[in-house]
Amino acid sequence: MSSVQEKCVSFKDKRMVWNTSIDVQGVVDALNNLPIVHQLDLEGNTLGVEAAEAIGEALKQHPELRSALWRDLFNCRTRTEVLMSLQHLANSLMYGSIKLTVLDLSMNNLGTDCFNGLDAIIRSGACYTLQELRLENCSLMPHATVLLARSLIQLYKNAEKENTPLKLRTITLGNNCMETEGCTELSEAFKVLKTLEVIDLKQNDIFLDGVSSLALALAENLQLRVFNMNDNALCEGLEDICLVLPQLTMLREIDFGECLIGNKGAFQLSQALENHLTHLEFLDLGFNHICVDGGLAVVKSLKNKENLRYVYLGGNCFGARGCQRILCEMNKLPTSGALGPFDEDVSEDDEFYVDTSLNEEGATDVATPDGSNPDGSNPDGSNPDGSNPDGRNE
């Protein structure tokens, strides 16, 4: 962390409609009245072309700007308006010799039509120092993702020529429908960058070929700490990723929830985790069609993960008896408290519920909905017909 306190101009979530330079006078005044501005947060407003130009002019006075937090900034704007507004902002960043470390344009409907505006910012000298790029839910689709990948490679080359090696650490591109085509091209950019610590590609319709390309890119980013592929189809591609995971010794978080890895994938992942990734803190494998033996294999692979704080296995195919077995296995670990709930975890033939509270002997109880024990006996130990377990009548 920097020892210098961040000076921020924030209009976050004001829900302002900024069309003209008059509309945005408050932002301009704030920028003009402060000698130092490290962060400009305009999230949750809607910015028009003339207003963007006015803010851009004011930004030229602040070469010390580091964070451009422009999430959800173009709601209800046409593609043309968004493109021209981004170009005005890009011009101000380049003119002012600004050196950004954070650029957040998430939740803006950029798509291919507006990509030239984004590209102008990314390729500029303002991004030679970029450490975090956040473009979640920007409707990039495959074509714009391909263009983004090429822009990142060009940015890397430009920064290298200027003797300011690019050190991009975080890239979040969730919910962009990039599909296999976009992921494959983006993986080529990741191979070039080699400095990524956070890769977030959740909800992007990525399938086998894209996953295999991504696995090769991971091997070039050995400082990776967070890897989020939630709600993509890893399936057979998981095998390639599992071959690389043991090399990622700094990995802290793995999110493979809703990735269709199945029981086979659970075993592959457990083999990759066992005796590796000792710094792991977070693991999400929820809703993956994993059976009991696969779940048990995963839990057993966590025995040397002393920093584990959360493991989610809900929504799989364990059934109550399977959940009980997994819970008992997890209770053998010093990090047993990390196990999340088994919500929505019911097999078709499931007739039991799980009580995760500990009894006096340290075991957990399983009971049927009518209150009887799993073997059919009543809570007091008698049989359902009222007789004693040994066959004697009172």
Side-chain angles (χ1 to χ4, degrees), residues 211-226:
V211 175
S212 298
S213 299
L214 187 58
L216 296 175
L218 295 180
E220 299 294 334
N221 289 271
L222 298 180
Q223 299 301 309
L224 193 67
R225 299 167 64 90
V226 177

Side-chain angles (χ1 to χ4, degrees), residues 41-89:
D41 191 343
L42 302 178
E43 176 183 345
N45 300 284
T46 177
L47 183 66
V49 179
E50 183 182 329
E53 185 176 12
I55 290 176
E57 286 299 314
L59 275 178
K60 292 178 180 179
Q61 305 173 45
H62 292 287
E64 74 284 354
L65 185 73
R66 294 198 287 259
S67 298
L69 307 181
W70 300 337
R71 185 185 182 95
D72 188 19
L73 186 56
F74 301 107
N75 188 33
C76 298
R77 297 293 176 179
T78 67
R79 295 288 178 88
T80 301
E81 286 180 295
V82 176
L83 172 59
M84 295 178 66
S85 296
L86 286 174
Q87 288 174 331
H88 282 307
L89 294 173

Side-chain angles (χ1 to χ4, degrees), residues 68-233:
L69 307 181
W70 300 337
R71 185 185 182 95
D72 188 19
L73 186 56
F74 301 107
N75 188 33
C76 298
R77 297 293 176 179
T78 67
R79 295 288 178 88
T80 301
E81 286 180 295
V82 176
L83 172 59
M84 295 178 66
S85 296
L86 286 174
Q87 288 174 331
H88 282 307
L89 294 173
N91 290 336
S92 67
L93 294 176
M94 290 184 285
Y95 177 90
S97 300
I98 289 170
K99 301 299 181 186
L100 291 178
T101 56
V102 180
L103 175 61
D104 188 349
L105 281 166
S106 299
M107 305 297 293
N108 290 304
N109 188 16
L110 303 181
T112 304
D113 294 339
C114 303
F115 185 78
N116 286 338
L118 174 62
D119 182 60
I121 294 177
I122 291 178
R123 293 198 188 205
S124 71
C127 288
Y128 291 171
T129 52
L130 195 63
Q131 296 179 18
E132 299 181 22
L133 177 61
R134 304 185 182 277
L135 297 171
E136 297 179 76
N137 197 16
C138 287
S139 302
L140 295 181
M141 314 298 281
H143 184 59
T145 305
V146 169
L147 297 177
L148 172 64
R150 294 172 183 173
S151 296
L152 288 172
I153 291 174
Q154 191 59 53
L155 172 64
Y156 175 88
K157 293 178 179 178
N158 292 344
E160 196 172 46
K161 289 179 182 177
E162 296 296 324
N163 294 317
T164 54
L166 186 62
K167 296 180 180 178
L168 188 61
R169 298 184 306 190
T170 297
I171 185 160
T172 58
L173 289 164
N175 198 17
N176 274 297
C177 298
M178 66 176 62
E179 301 180 4
T180 296
E181 179 187 356
C183 182
T184 300
E185 196 74 20
L186 195 62
S187 297
E188 294 303 312
F190 291 171
K191 290 179 189 177
V192 172
L193 297 174
K194 301 182 187 297
T195 55
L196 294 176
E197 297 179 12
V198 177
I199 296 177
D200 185 342
L201 302 178
K202 61 179 175 287
Q203 297 180 322
N204 267 300
D205 297 327
I206 300 170
F207 292 89
L208 177 59
D209 290 343
V211 175
S212 298
S213 299
L214 187 58
L216 296 175
L218 295 180
E220 299 294 334
N221 289 271
L222 298 180
Q223 299 301 309
L224 193 67
R225 299 167 64 90
V226 177
F227 186 34
N228 190 343
M229 288 293 288
N230 191 289
D231 200 9
N232 290 288

Side-chain angles (χ1 to χ4, degrees), residues 243-264:
L243 292 174
V244 178
L245 284 180
Q247 302 174 44
L248 305 176
T249 57
M250 303 301 292
L251 201 58
R252 263 59 170 182
E253 299 185 16
I254 299 175
D255 190 340
F256 289 168
E258 298 187 68
C259 284
L260 304 176
I261 70 172
N263 220 37
K264 179 180 178 181

Side-chain angles (χ1 to χ4, degrees), residues 10-16 18 41-45 71-72:
S10 177
F11 284 78
K12 181 178 180 179
D13 291 332
K14 297 293 185 182
R15 301 300 166 190
M16 303 293 290
W18 293 323
D41 191 343
L42 302 178
E43 176 183 345
N45 300 284
R71 185 185 182 95
D72 188 19

